Amino acid sequence: MKHRFEVLDIFRGLFASLVFLFHLGPFANTPVLNNRFVENSDMFVDFFFVLSGFVIAYSYQSLADWAQFRLFLKKRVYRIYPLHFVMLLAFVGMEVAKNMLSPYIKVNNLVNPANNIYTFFTSLFLVNSTPVPGVKDVSWNIPSWSISAEMMAYLVFGSLVVYIHRSNQFRSRNAWYGLMIIVSLTALWSVSNSFQINYSFDYGFLRGILGFFTGVLCFNLFSNTHMRVREWSPVLFSITEIVSLTLIALCIYNGEVMKPWGAVFEILFFICIYTFSFEKGIISKAFKSVKLLHKLGQYSYSIYMTHALLISLFNVLFIRILKFLPEAYSYLFIFNFILIYFVSAWTYKHIEMRFQYKSRSDRRPLTADRRPPTIDHRR
């Protein structure tokens, strides 16, 4: 029996929107955006990593040889790279235009030292979440570091799954996944002597691996237990949904205290994803009744990848040219997000979906069977 994860897709859209607010905050001067919750919403990126592991574990735990591994990587590249590449070129165009128009329009960071030929190639080849010598900050399309971290997680996961199958250790796969969590967390500890995980351009790949394998274990727990747990009372699910979201909100709001213990967010997102995967609580039912939320989930990757560019353009237009005050973002953020939504709808249709034929398995509704599925080579 298959189970659809519509609510998890909705969360992906909601949290991508909160990351947009996080990146908009530095341009604004309003309590709507400059508050402790929004200022720590960068931690929602880790939700994407955990959910990614959850989804990939559904489709790809049966990679039995290196031919299937190559097919897996090909599908993942076709899924994430086209939009990343287009947005990277868009940022190059913006940098050129910004310098050409500098005599007429005053903009911030006319010469951004992080945006250079060197970092262009680290972004182009998706190594912008690893400690590359000479790179000291995020660059170009800032959110793209997490796409690099995703790709690193895919490489580690795919290689590990092939090894597990070739060495006939499938029954021990969760122990191997747990080992990856321990290794990545230990490596992060060695960097800061804390459980802090909010790295990006340098050790973001470790953050990605940590979250990804947390999600893989979450899916395997769901796969092994959902036939029994789904019989629990909707009231119990409602309570668990409310409690899990409350804890996440409190930890995000108190981010300055919680970020040194950032691994806690992995646990909270694990609980949240597991709970909402059943979609039996009051919040799940409310979310599923709103069509706009389904669209946010559908466009979530485009929202995430386009928002930094559109924030910059919006800021130039309203703050630099039209001379709005930063306080105006108390309402301008709504119009900015509307722009992002419609641009994302376009990029989803004309860039993401254009490559659908190369990766049809990735566009299925998020579903799960009790047994790990096999790869259909016809896809």
Side-chain angles (χ1 to χ4, degrees), residues 281-343:
I282 187 173
I283 296 177
S284 290
K285 293 179 180 178
F287 280 178
K288 290 177 69 174
S289 67
V290 181
K291 292 184 178 180
L292 177 61
L293 294 181
H294 289 274
K295 287 294 185 182
L296 284 182
Q298 188 177 34
Y299 302 152
S300 58
Y301 181 55
S302 281
I303 291 171
Y304 185 72
M305 292 298 289
T306 63
H307 76 265
L309 178 71
L310 296 176
I311 285 174
S312 297
L313 295 176
F314 207 83
N315 190 56
V316 169
L317 174 61
F318 283 93
I319 304 300
R320 299 301 170 188
I321 298 178
L322 299 179
K323 306 299 182 181
F324 279 64
L325 295 175
E327 288 79 5
Y329 272 113
S330 60
Y331 59 88
L332 283 180
F333 81 93
I334 299 173
F335 299 105
N336 197 345
F337 186 74
I338 291 173
L339 173 65
I340 290 169
Y341 178 87
F342 284 107
V343 170

Side-chain angles (χ1 to χ4, degrees), residues 86 299 302 340-352:
V86 169
Y299 302 152
S302 281
I340 290 169
Y341 178 87
F342 284 107
V343 170
S344 297
W346 188 92
T347 56
Y348 172 79
K349 179 179 179 180
H350 296 284
I351 299 176
E352 290 190 64

Side-chain angles (χ1 to χ4, degrees), residues 5 12 48-63 72-73 75-77 79-80 150-151 153-159 161 177 212-213 215-217 219-220 359 361-364 366-367 372-375:
F5 299 103
R12 187 157 49 189
F48 304 145
F49 291 141
V50 180
L51 181 57
S52 178
F54 186 94
V55 174
I56 294 299
Y58 158 57
S59 295
Y60 297 108
Q61 285 191 87
S62 297
L63 301 177
F72 163 67
L73 284 185
K75 289 183 176 182
R76 301 322 302 160
V77 169
R79 176 67 187 98
I80 70 174
E150 281 272 341
M151 184 56 67
Y154 297 153
L155 288 167
V156 174
F157 173 79
S159 302
V161 170
Y177 301 152
F212 187 93
F213 280 96
V216 173
L217 288 181
F219 172 79
N220 286 346
S359 185
S361 64
D362 296 323
R363 305 310 310 171
R364 295 176 295 186
L366 304 184
T367 59
T374 57
I375 292 179

Side-chain angles (χ1 to χ4, degrees), residues 88-190:
L88 179 59
L89 294 183
F91 266 91
V92 172
M94 186 180 72
E95 285 291 312
V96 172
K98 187 169 66 174
N99 284 275
M100 290 178 61
L101 296 174
S102 61
Y104 313 101
I105 302 173
K106 181 181 178 182
V107 297
N108 289 331
N109 300 322
L110 180 59
V111 179
N112 185 349
N115 293 350
N116 53 57
I117 295 294
Y118 186 45
T119 57
F120 171 82
F121 283 104
T122 61
S123 293
L124 181 68
F125 295 111
L126 286 179
V127 293
N128 51 323
S129 66
T130 62
V132 178
V135 177
K136 298 180 180 180
D137 202 353
V138 288
S139 59
W140 301 104
N141 190 13
I142 291 175
S144 70
W145 73 264
S146 62
I147 307 307
S148 167
E150 281 272 341
M151 184 56 67
M152 300 298 172
Y154 297 153
L155 288 167
V156 174
F157 173 79
S159 302
L160 180 59
V161 170
V162 171
Y163 170 77
I164 288 171
H165 279 274
R166 290 174 69 89
S167 60
N168 197 28
Q169 299 186 60
F170 190 76
R171 291 186 177 181
S172 303
R173 65 191 186 283
N174 286 334
W176 283 103
Y177 301 152
L179 179 62
M180 291 300 101
I181 292 174
I182 293 171
V183 169
S184 57
L185 194 56
T186 301
L188 287 170
W189 174 273
S190 69

